[in-house]
Amino acid sequence: MCVFCEIIKGNIPSAKVYEDDDVLAILDISQVTFGHTLVMPKKHCANILEADEETVLKCAAVAKKLAKQIVENTKATGVNVLTNCGESAGQTVDHLHFHIIPRYDENDAITIKFNPSKEQDLGQVLKVVKGE
Ligand code: 5GP
Ligand code: ZN
């Protein structure tokens, strides 16, 4: 059973922020920050890597519009828009979704921080990334 498919079918209640024929946006039950919203396709696909491009683009377009709306209405000072893909990336629900996480100046329940890492040979990294 996919919890988001059950929400889309109306079998599990949700707080709907936006809906059209292909996309649903709901408040995240955990509200990591005030206004935390999830944008998902109505068609089940596991994640951004599995989804077809049209589905991703439809969700991204809605996420972009809603991010602007939510920042304006919540008076947030910033926003993170992200999708987790795979367990190692923190994905817990295997139905593609974009998080819209409004950010505020005071401390909130999320930290996104790029720590310094071991220096890499970018030429070598590029070869691997490009599959050469
Ligand atoms: P992930 O960790 O997969 O990127 O994000 C899944 C998100 O779905 C979590 O932030 C979690 O709080 C949210 N979530 C899980 N179950 C439900 C639910 O039944 N209703 C709502 N609104 N959100 C849910
Ligand atoms: Zn699903």
Side-chain angles (χ1 to χ4, degrees):
M1 188 204 86
C2 170
V3 66
F4 287 174
C5 282
E6 292 305 308
I7 287 172
I8 289 158
K9 282 189 241 162
N11 296 337
I12 296 176
S14 65
K16 287 185 190 175
V17 176
Y18 172 88
E19 184 172 21
D20 64 28
D21 287 347
D22 304 307
V23 179
L24 176 69
I26 60 171
L27 292 182
D28 191 303
I29 205 161
S30 73
Q31 290 294 288
V32 69
T33 67
F34 184 93
H36 181 189
T37 297
L38 302 172
V39 179
M40 64 190 72
K42 288 188 173 175
K43 181 166 91 175
H44 179 89
C45 36
N47 57 49
I48 194 167
L49 300 185
E50 301 290 326
D52 60 86
E53 189 175 309
E54 192 187 356
T55 299
V56 174
L57 292 178
K58 280 178 181 164
C59 289
V62 171
K64 188 260 182 288
K65 279 193 200 120
L66 285 185
K68 188 168 167 52
Q69 175 190 312
I70 291 166
V71 165
E72 283 171 4
N73 291 342
T74 60
K75 311 274 185 272
T77 51
V79 62
N80 295 108
V81 179
L82 58 92
T83 185
N84 297 327
C85 178
E87 205 179 330
S88 62
Q91 185 174 14
T92 57
V93 177
D94 288 335
H95 180 128
L96 172 65
H97 52 284
F98 290 86
H99 293 259
I100 299 174
I101 306 172
R103 302 303 301 273
Y104 304 93
D105 289 333
E106 68 268 25
N107 286 336
D108 49 34
I110 179 170
T111 307
I112 296 177
K113 187 163 175 262
F114 295 145
N115 291 316
S117 64
K118 199 173 70 168
E119 201 175 316
Q120 299 280 351
D121 174 351
L122 292 193
Q124 176 59 20
V125 175
L126 199 57
K127 277 189 187 154
V128 172
V129 166
K130 292 172 80 173
E132 291 172 358

